[in-house]
Every structure is written in structure tokens, then in C-alpha cells.
Amino acid sequence: MSDHGFAKGEAMKQVTLTIDGRQVEAPTTATVLQAAKSAGIYIPALCHDERIKPFGACRVCMVEVTKGKRTRLVASCCYPVEEGIVVKTDTEKVKKIRKLVAELLWPAALPLALELGVTSSRFSAPRGECSLCGLCVRYCDEVKKQNAVYFEGRGIDRELAFVPGVKVDCRACRECFDLCTGGWIMNEASKAFE
Ligand code: SF4
Ligand code: FES
């Protein structure tokens, strides 16, 4: 991957889109998040890492995309660039939804919440230390091929867990610890592998 996340050696075909009033060129294989990054336009992103496939879990990277007469909110980490689309990364709607997400995740992903100006949550059942970003699960699966962690349960009961009897010792690997947006994995690994 290059610095801006475009895969090297992929089709050289380019599209031109508008992001925050600027004309940006990007390969047809790029996402809106990658195109913005290549142009130095910052979009906050929580569950995204260039080494692993986009997941679209957190919705922090939402932007407004206008295509023809239709405008909608999309997750920029999963949304492919297209010729002529108009992207706005910082509208009132976008800011509102990002703040709502930060409140729903509270207090996991605290640095991001503070960056977005969120210092508390209106919701009565704030989350623990795991934001359910899935970075550890996907990194362990796609990069390490170990599958030491997984999501257990569904809906509001969904939580992260270590795969029972897993051979790898996460304390020795630690590679996903720096990715963890909530802080759960390092704390729980020290208990799970005692
Ligand atoms: S443990 Fe950390 S990396 Fe894994 S899903 Fe939770 S917040 Fe994300
Ligand atoms: S960074 Fe795009 S949905 Fe999480």
C-alpha cells in the first residue's frame, strides 16, 4: 500500500470527484476515505485500517455524497469513488451523526469522542472498554491467520471474546493491541492468558 492507502499496481484508471469543494483524482479502486486522505482531507475513522478489509462497523467516517440529484449519508471507508460525485465531509448532518456514534460507544474510543467534542453520553447503558470496532478480530483473522478472538452474541448483547482453547497466546503476539480503539483487548488478554 502507498501512504494514502491506494493499492500499488492496480488499474491506473482514474476518476475525478469533488471533496469539500476540491477536485480530487483517485484510482477507480479507491474508497472515498482513501481519496480524501490522498488530498490531505481528514475524515475520522475508527474501525478502519489499511491492512484489513473495510468493515463499516462504526459509522464514524460518515460523509454526505451527492450523485446526480440524490444526496445520502454513506460510510466513506466502504464507499467506492465514482466519476463526478460530490462529497462533503463536514456538514452539520455529518457532525451530528459522528457525535451520536461517539455517545453510543461511550466510554470506549474516548480519544475519538473528545476529538469530536463529546465529553459525556446521554445514553443510559454506556459501553465498556470495547467499541466493537472489530479491528482485533479482523487483524487476527486476515493478517495473523490465528482467529484468537471473535464476536459472541447478537445485537446489544454482542461482545468480544477469546476463542476457547485457542493455541496462540495474545500476550506474546500483541500485534492488535495498538489497533484496539477501546482498550479491551490488552486488559482482557492479561486475564485470559494468566
Ligand atoms: S477489543 Fe479493541 S480492537 Fe477488538 S473490537 Fe473491541 S475495541 Fe475493537
Ligand atoms: S471507519 Fe468507516 S465505518 Fe468505521
Side-chain angles (χ1 to χ4, degrees):
M1 291 280 178
S2 58
D3 285 349
H4 41 62
F6 296 157
K8 281 180 185 158
E10 287 184 10
M12 293 305 290
K13 211 168 157 205
Q14 303 273 309
V15 295
T16 304
L17 61 158
T18 305
I19 308 180
D20 293 345
R22 286 171 51 190
Q23 298 260 291
V24 176
E25 277 203 10
T28 49
T29 51
T31 61
V32 166
L33 181 68
Q34 289 172 324
K37 196 173 173 191
S38 75
I41 297 168
Y42 174 68
I43 300 173
L46 189 74
C47 70
H48 176 74
D49 186 279
E50 289 295 344
R51 291 169 292 181
I52 48 188
K53 290 183 201 129
F55 189 48
C58 74
R59 318 316 269 182
V60 166
C61 67
M62 295 299 267
V63 294
E64 274 187 54
V65 168
T66 304
K67 188 174 161 184
K69 289 187 179 156
R70 191 163 175 230
T71 299
R72 59 196 181 115
L73 285 162
V74 302
S76 62
C77 69
C78 302
Y79 197 86
V81 293
E82 273 180 76
E83 182 66 38
I85 58 171
V86 176
V87 179
K88 290 185 181 162
T89 71
D90 208 23
T91 64
E92 285 310 311
K93 254 189 201 167
V94 161
K95 284 193 239 181
K96 205 170 161 189
I97 199 163
R98 287 185 190 147
K99 284 188 171 183
L100 176 66
V101 168
E103 278 193 73
L104 288 166
L105 293 177
W106 186 270
L110 192 57
L112 177 84
L114 297 177
E115 177 193 318
L116 298 173
V118 173
T119 53
S120 62
S121 175
R122 286 168 291 168
F123 301 103
S124 55
R127 300 200 56 78
E129 289 177 312
C130 178
S131 69
L132 300 182
C133 69
L135 284 169
C136 57
V137 176
R138 289 175 291 139
Y139 185 85
C140 197
D141 173 25
E142 294 176 32
V143 180
K144 297 299 291 181
K145 317 278 183 218
Q146 293 291 342
N147 298 100
V149 275
Y150 74 116
F151 287 121
E152 198 174 55
R154 286 172 178 271
I156 55 163
D157 295 326
R158 196 170 202 220
E159 58 184 25
L160 201 81
F162 291 97
V163 174
V166 67
K167 300 260 183 327
V168 65
D169 182 336
C170 296
R171 290 170 310 171
C173 169
R174 306 177 64 89
E175 286 181 33
C176 72
F177 287 15
D178 285 343
L179 293 177
C180 181
T181 54
W184 187 92
I185 196 87
M186 46 286 238
N187 292 336
E188 294 303 314
S190 60
K191 296 179 208 159
F193 295 94
E194 267 171 354

